[in-house]
Amino acid sequence: MLFTEVCGLPVMPQEGTAPLGTVTSLDVDVVSGTVSHVRWRGGRFRRETALPWDAVHTVGPGAVRVRSAALEPVPPHHDHELLGRRILTETGTERGTVLDVAFDTLSARLLALFTTRGELPPGRLLGLGDYALVVRAV
């Protein structure tokens, strides 16, 4: 599934029909190459919160279902978002911008990054900060 397909989906409790909010983005851990958190906006004050990926029960075309017992939101990490992030090599060479990311919804493992300069394998990721995604040069 693509990150852009998940953004905008309702966040639903595993058992229940009332949405908790709407997915705004997915955070990643570049070291493990996996999705680490689901960020969503909802509730009375429409504040953005994040849930660890472990709290996700299923991700489908209709909703992101989360385990009710695991609904302990954590503050969002805005420097862990890939979409729209500038890409630099470890030597500082510009390599475009992240347009989308494919990931496995069961394991949360990143499968491919789609950039303005083509596809990038997740094995090349080195670090992610508030300025750029750093990748290994080829």
Side-chain angles (χ1 to χ4, degrees), residues 4-25:
T4 55
E5 294 174 325
V6 176
C7 292
L9 288 178
V11 177
M12 308 282 288
Q14 184 178 350
E15 8 8 75
T17 57
L20 302 169
T22 304
V23 176
T24 55
S25 65

Side-chain angles (χ1 to χ4, degrees), residues 34-104:
T34 60
V35 176
S36 61
H37 292 81
V38 175
R39 284 199 279 157
W40 55 283
R41 187 175 303 280
R44 186 173 179 184
F45 300 109
R46 307 269 314 144
R47 203 174 306 165
E48 187 174 67
T49 56
L51 287 172
W53 183 261
D54 295 343
V56 174
H57 181 282
T58 58
V59 177
V64 173
R65 294 232 176 236
V66 295
R67 295 178 179 85
S68 299
L71 283 176
E72 290 290 325
V74 296
H77 301 279
H78 292 284
D79 59 337
H80 293 190
E81 184 179 351
L82 283 179
L83 294 182
R85 187 73 61 175
R86 164 186 265 172
I87 305 167
L88 299 174
T89 65
E90 70 265 317
T91 60
T93 305
E94 178 85 28
R95 290 292 178 201
T97 305
V98 178
L99 298 174
D100 214 340
V101 181
F103 75 106
D104 183 314

